[in-house]
Amino acid sequence: MPDIKRNYLETLEKVREAAAKCGRDPGEVRLIAVSKTKPIEYVREAAEAGAVDFGENRPQELVLKQAEYPDLRWHQIGTLQRNKVRHIVGKCALIHSVDSLPLALEIDKRAKAAGVVQDVLIQVNITGEETKSGVSPDELEGLLCEIKAMENVNPTGLMTISVAGSTPDENRAVFGRLKELVDRFGLKELSMGMTHDYVEAIECGATMVRVGTAIFGARDYGPK
Ligand SMILES: *Cc1c(COP(=O)(O)O)cnc(C)c1O
Protein backbone atom coordinates (compact mmCIF):
# COMPACT_ATOMS: atom_id res chain seq x y z
CA MET A 1 0.00 0.00 0.00
CA PRO A 2 1.35 3.46 -0.80
CA ASP A 3 1.78 5.93 2.07
CA ILE A 4 -1.75 7.24 1.68
CA LYS A 5 -1.75 9.41 4.79
CA ARG A 6 1.36 11.22 3.66
CA ASN A 7 0.13 11.51 0.07
CA TYR A 8 -3.21 12.91 1.21
CA LEU A 9 -1.65 15.47 3.54
CA GLU A 10 0.89 16.54 0.92
CA THR A 11 -1.82 16.92 -1.71
CA LEU A 12 -3.98 18.91 0.69
CA GLU A 13 -1.05 21.19 1.41
CA LYS A 14 -0.49 21.75 -2.33
CA VAL A 15 -4.16 22.47 -2.86
CA ARG A 16 -4.08 25.07 -0.09
CA GLU A 17 -0.86 26.59 -1.41
CA ALA A 18 -2.29 26.85 -4.91
CA ALA A 19 -5.38 28.61 -3.56
CA ALA A 20 -3.39 31.00 -1.37
CA LYS A 21 -1.03 31.80 -4.23
CA CYS A 22 -3.83 33.22 -6.33
CA GLY A 23 -5.39 35.09 -3.46
CA ARG A 24 -8.21 32.66 -2.74
CA ASP A 25 -9.34 31.40 0.65
CA PRO A 26 -7.79 27.90 0.89
CA GLY A 27 -10.90 26.77 2.75
CA GLU A 28 -13.06 27.21 -0.32
CA VAL A 29 -11.42 24.38 -2.30
CA ARG A 30 -12.60 20.89 -1.39
CA LEU A 31 -10.21 18.01 -2.03
CA ILE A 32 -12.08 14.92 -3.22
CA ALA A 33 -10.03 11.74 -2.80
CA VAL A 34 -10.85 9.57 -5.81
CA SER A 35 -10.77 6.03 -4.42
CA LYS A 36 -12.29 4.23 -7.43
CA THR A 37 -10.93 0.71 -7.97
CA LYS A 38 -9.05 0.88 -4.66
CA PRO A 39 -9.85 -1.35 -1.66
CA ILE A 40 -11.70 -0.11 1.40
CA GLU A 41 -8.49 -0.09 3.48
CA TYR A 42 -7.30 2.76 1.27
CA VAL A 43 -10.40 4.72 2.15
CA ARG A 44 -9.78 4.11 5.84
CA GLU A 45 -6.19 5.37 5.59
CA ALA A 46 -7.24 8.57 3.85
CA ALA A 47 -10.14 9.10 6.27
CA GLU A 48 -7.76 8.72 9.20
CA ALA A 49 -5.60 11.43 7.66
CA GLY A 50 -8.67 13.68 7.64
CA ALA A 51 -10.24 13.14 4.21
CA VAL A 52 -14.04 13.45 4.22
CA ASP A 53 -14.86 13.60 0.50
CA PHE A 54 -14.42 10.51 -1.68
CA GLY A 55 -15.06 10.01 -5.39
CA GLU A 56 -16.18 6.84 -7.16
CA ASN A 57 -17.17 6.19 -10.76
CA ARG A 58 -19.04 2.90 -10.40
CA PRO A 59 -22.34 3.07 -8.54
CA GLN A 60 -22.02 -0.46 -7.15
CA GLU A 61 -18.62 0.31 -5.72
CA LEU A 62 -19.81 3.61 -4.27
CA VAL A 63 -22.69 1.86 -2.52
CA LEU A 64 -20.43 -0.80 -0.98
CA LYS A 65 -17.94 1.73 0.31
CA GLN A 66 -20.66 4.10 1.47
CA ALA A 67 -22.17 1.29 3.55
CA GLU A 68 -18.83 0.86 5.33
CA TYR A 69 -18.32 4.59 5.83
CA PRO A 70 -21.72 6.28 5.76
CA ASP A 71 -20.43 9.39 7.50
CA LEU A 72 -17.99 10.26 4.73
CA ARG A 73 -19.20 12.33 1.79
CA TRP A 74 -19.46 10.19 -1.36
CA HIS A 75 -19.31 11.68 -4.85
CA GLN A 76 -20.42 9.98 -8.06
CA ILE A 77 -17.89 11.37 -10.54
CA GLY A 78 -18.13 9.07 -13.56
CA THR A 79 -20.64 8.52 -16.32
CA LEU A 80 -23.90 7.43 -14.73
CA GLN A 81 -26.35 5.13 -16.46
CA ARG A 82 -30.01 5.70 -15.81
CA ASN A 83 -30.60 2.19 -14.53
CA LYS A 84 -27.99 2.73 -11.80
CA VAL A 85 -29.47 5.92 -10.42
CA ARG A 86 -31.72 4.18 -7.91
CA HIS A 87 -28.70 2.61 -6.19
CA ILE A 88 -27.02 5.85 -5.31
CA VAL A 89 -29.66 8.54 -4.85
CA GLY A 90 -29.63 9.65 -1.23
CA LYS A 91 -26.33 7.85 -0.65
CA CYS A 92 -24.06 10.28 -2.38
CA ALA A 93 -23.51 13.89 -1.43
CA LEU A 94 -23.16 14.97 -5.04
CA ILE A 95 -23.58 13.53 -8.53
CA HIS A 96 -20.99 15.30 -10.72
CA SER A 97 -21.95 13.89 -14.06
CA VAL A 98 -25.48 14.82 -15.13
CA ASP A 99 -25.37 15.18 -18.91
CA SER A 100 -28.89 14.60 -20.20
CA LEU A 101 -32.52 15.35 -19.46
CA PRO A 102 -33.52 11.66 -19.16
CA LEU A 103 -30.81 11.14 -16.54
CA ALA A 104 -31.92 14.22 -14.59
CA LEU A 105 -35.56 13.07 -14.75
CA GLU A 106 -34.60 9.67 -13.38
CA ILE A 107 -32.68 11.28 -10.51
CA ASP A 108 -35.70 13.47 -9.75
CA LYS A 109 -38.01 10.46 -9.72
CA ARG A 110 -35.76 8.36 -7.49
CA ALA A 111 -35.02 11.25 -5.16
CA LYS A 112 -38.73 11.92 -4.78
CA ALA A 113 -39.32 8.27 -3.91
CA ALA A 114 -36.51 8.39 -1.35
CA GLY A 115 -37.74 11.67 0.11
CA VAL A 116 -34.50 13.53 -0.56
CA VAL A 117 -33.28 16.41 -2.69
CA GLN A 118 -30.23 15.28 -4.65
CA ASP A 119 -27.48 17.82 -5.29
CA VAL A 120 -26.00 17.50 -8.78
CA LEU A 121 -23.52 19.13 -11.12
CA ILE A 122 -23.96 19.30 -14.87
CA GLN A 123 -21.01 17.90 -16.77
CA VAL A 124 -19.95 20.14 -19.63
CA ASN A 125 -17.83 18.98 -22.55
CA ILE A 126 -15.88 22.16 -23.27
CA THR A 127 -13.46 20.69 -25.78
CA GLY A 128 -16.04 18.87 -27.90
CA GLU A 129 -14.15 15.58 -27.90
CA GLU A 130 -16.58 12.96 -29.09
CA THR A 131 -15.39 10.34 -26.64
CA LYS A 132 -16.22 12.50 -23.66
CA SER A 133 -19.57 12.78 -21.94
CA GLY A 134 -21.11 16.08 -21.01
CA VAL A 135 -23.38 18.62 -22.66
CA SER A 136 -21.97 21.19 -25.02
CA PRO A 137 -21.82 24.77 -23.72
CA ASP A 138 -24.71 25.55 -26.10
CA GLU A 139 -26.95 22.88 -24.60
CA LEU A 140 -26.22 23.89 -21.02
CA GLU A 141 -28.80 26.62 -20.59
CA GLY A 142 -31.65 24.42 -21.78
CA LEU A 143 -30.76 21.51 -19.52
CA LEU A 144 -30.18 23.79 -16.55
CA CYS A 145 -33.62 25.33 -17.02
CA GLU A 146 -35.28 21.93 -17.04
CA ILE A 147 -33.39 20.79 -13.95
CA LYS A 148 -34.17 23.96 -12.03
CA ALA A 149 -37.84 23.17 -12.50
CA MET A 150 -37.44 19.75 -10.85
CA GLU A 151 -38.42 19.52 -7.20
CA ASN A 152 -35.97 16.89 -6.04
CA VAL A 153 -32.84 17.75 -8.00
CA ASN A 154 -30.72 20.70 -6.98
CA PRO A 155 -28.14 21.87 -9.53
CA THR A 156 -25.30 23.47 -7.58
CA GLY A 157 -22.69 23.86 -10.31
CA LEU A 158 -20.71 22.46 -13.22
CA MET A 159 -18.07 19.84 -13.81
CA THR A 160 -15.59 19.24 -16.59
CA ILE A 161 -12.64 17.06 -17.49
CA SER A 162 -9.73 18.53 -19.40
CA VAL A 163 -8.08 16.72 -22.27
CA ALA A 164 -5.39 14.25 -21.21
CA GLY A 165 -1.93 15.40 -22.21
CA SER A 166 -2.81 19.09 -22.49
CA THR A 167 -0.38 21.84 -21.59
CA PRO A 168 -1.07 23.98 -18.51
CA ASP A 169 -2.22 26.83 -20.78
CA GLU A 170 -4.62 24.56 -22.66
CA ASN A 171 -6.03 23.40 -19.33
CA ARG A 172 -6.44 27.01 -18.19
CA ALA A 173 -8.41 27.78 -21.35
CA VAL A 174 -10.81 24.88 -20.66
CA PHE A 175 -11.19 25.66 -16.97
CA GLY A 176 -11.57 29.37 -17.64
CA ARG A 177 -14.44 28.61 -19.97
CA LEU A 178 -16.23 26.56 -17.29
CA LYS A 179 -15.71 29.37 -14.78
CA GLU A 180 -17.37 31.82 -17.21
CA LEU A 181 -20.35 29.49 -17.55
CA VAL A 182 -20.75 29.00 -13.80
CA ASP A 183 -20.73 32.77 -13.31
CA ARG A 184 -23.06 33.44 -16.20
CA PHE A 185 -25.70 31.10 -14.79
CA GLY A 186 -25.25 32.18 -11.18
CA LEU A 187 -24.07 28.76 -10.02
CA LYS A 188 -21.53 28.20 -7.28
CA GLU A 189 -19.67 24.90 -7.48
CA LEU A 190 -16.94 24.18 -10.01
CA SER A 191 -15.64 20.62 -10.05
CA MET A 192 -12.51 20.58 -12.18
CA GLY A 193 -8.91 19.42 -11.91
CA MET A 194 -7.36 15.97 -11.44
CA THR A 195 -3.89 14.80 -10.42
CA HIS A 196 -2.15 16.35 -13.41
CA ASP A 197 -4.02 19.64 -13.62
CA TYR A 198 -5.56 20.59 -10.28
CA VAL A 199 -3.24 23.55 -9.76
CA GLU A 200 -4.46 25.23 -12.96
CA ALA A 201 -8.05 24.35 -12.04
CA ILE A 202 -7.67 26.11 -8.69
CA GLU A 203 -6.17 29.17 -10.43
CA CYS A 204 -9.30 29.24 -12.58
CA GLY A 205 -11.72 29.04 -9.66
CA ALA A 206 -12.28 25.33 -8.90
CA THR A 207 -14.24 24.76 -5.69
CA MET A 208 -13.62 21.00 -5.85
CA VAL A 209 -10.70 19.06 -7.25
CA ARG A 210 -10.90 15.30 -7.87
CA VAL A 211 -7.56 13.66 -7.14
CA GLY A 212 -6.93 9.92 -7.31
CA THR A 213 -3.45 8.93 -8.46
CA ALA A 214 -1.54 11.46 -6.33
CA ILE A 215 -3.20 10.10 -3.19
CA PHE A 216 -3.76 6.39 -3.83
CA GLY A 217 -1.16 5.58 -6.50
CA ALA A 218 -1.73 4.46 -10.08
CA ARG A 219 -4.78 2.36 -10.85
CA ASP A 220 -3.96 -0.98 -12.37
CA TYR A 221 -7.45 -2.06 -13.34
CA GLY A 222 -10.74 -0.47 -14.27
CA PRO A 223 -11.38 2.46 -16.57
CA LYS A 224 -9.91 5.81 -15.79
C1 LIG B 1 -10.54 8.89 -12.23
C2 LIG B 1 -11.08 10.26 -12.24
C3 LIG B 1 -10.42 11.30 -11.56
C4 LIG B 1 -9.09 11.12 -10.83
O1 LIG B 1 -8.04 11.05 -11.75
P1 LIG B 1 -6.50 11.08 -11.30
O2 LIG B 1 -5.78 11.43 -12.55
O3 LIG B 1 -6.17 9.73 -10.79
O4 LIG B 1 -6.35 12.12 -10.25
C5 LIG B 1 -11.01 12.54 -11.56
N1 LIG B 1 -12.18 12.78 -12.22
C6 LIG B 1 -12.84 11.81 -12.88
C7 LIG B 1 -14.11 12.12 -13.57
C8 LIG B 1 -12.31 10.52 -12.92
O5 LIG B 1 -12.97 9.57 -13.59
Side-chain angles (χ1 to χ4, degrees), residues 34 36 77 159 161 194-195 210-213 219 224:
V34 177
K36 64 186 185 191
I77 60 171
M159 179 271 217
I161 304 173
M194 305 163 47
T195 292
R210 312 174 305 265
V211 179
T213 308
R219 288 174 295 274
K224 192 176 169 190

